[in-house]
Amino acid sequence: MLCWAAGTWPPQDNRIYIKQTIKARIAVAGISIILVVGAVIGVIVTKRNNSNDNDELSNSSKAVAAICGPTDYKQACIHSLGAIATNESATPKQLIEAALSATIEQVKLALDKSAKLGNSAAGNATQKMSMEDCQDLLQFAVAELQASFSMVGDSELHTLKDKEA
C-alpha cells in the first residue's frame, strides 16, 4: 500500500497477494453479514416477545436501526432500506436482500465511474493498469455480493463449509 501512495503500483507478483487479500476481506464481510442477519433475527424475536403497543418505533424500523447501527454510513443505510422499512410485514430476510441490492447498485455505479476514469488515463500505462485492477476488483465484489444475495434468498440455512464447496 505504501508503494501505491508514493505513486507507483506494485509489481505483478504483488497482484496475486492483493487479490488474495481482497478475497479474504470479502469472506470476512460475508461472515459478518451472516452474523448481522443472526443478530437482527434475535433482536426481532426478542422485541416480538417483549413488544409493547406504546412503542414509538415499528418492528421494521427497529430492524432497520439494528441493521444500520454498526455501519459507517448510517444515513445512507437507512435511506436505502427506507422503502421496505415502511412495510410493517417486512421480514429480516427482505431487509437484508434490500441492503445487498442497494450495495450491489452502488458498487456497479463505482464500476461505471472507474471505467470512465480508465478511459481518461489511456496515455499513462501505470494508471491504466491501476484502473484495470480496480475494475477487476469491483467486478469481483459485484459477483461476491450477488452470491451473498443468492445465499440470503435461498430458503435453506447454510454453513461456512457449504459456501466453500
Side-chain angles (χ1 to χ4, degrees), residues 94-107:
Q94 291 171 329
L95 291 169
I96 297 300
E97 286 176 345
L100 285 170
S101 292
T103 305
I104 290 169
E105 289 305 313
Q106 290 300 314
V107 174

Side-chain angles (χ1 to χ4, degrees), residues 24-129:
R25 288 180 182 171
I26 290 174
V28 169
I31 292 169
S32 298
I33 288 172
I34 291 169
L35 291 174
V36 168
V37 170
V40 169
I41 290 171
V43 167
I44 290 173
V45 168
T46 302
K47 291 296 180 180
R48 282 190 182 166
N49 290 340
N50 299 329
S51 66
N52 260 337
D53 292 336
N54 297 332
D55 287 341
E56 292 179 19
L57 296 175
S58 69
N59 285 337
S60 295
S61 297
K62 290 177 185 178
V64 169
I67 290 172
C68 295
T71 63
D72 290 334
Y73 301 99
K74 289 174 185 53
Q75 290 297 351
C77 178
I78 291 169
H79 178 70
S80 68
L81 298 178
I84 198 155
T86 59
N87 181 1
E88 288 298 320
S89 62
T91 64
K93 180 178 172 180
Q94 291 171 329
L95 291 169
I96 297 300
E97 286 176 345
L100 285 170
S101 292
T103 305
I104 290 169
E105 289 305 313
Q106 290 300 314
V107 174
K108 285 182 179 179
L109 288 173
L111 183 61
D112 291 341
K113 288 180 182 178
S114 71
K116 290 177 186 174
L117 287 173
N119 292 338
S120 67
N124 187 332
T126 304
Q127 287 180 353
K128 184 176 180 179
M129 190 169 53

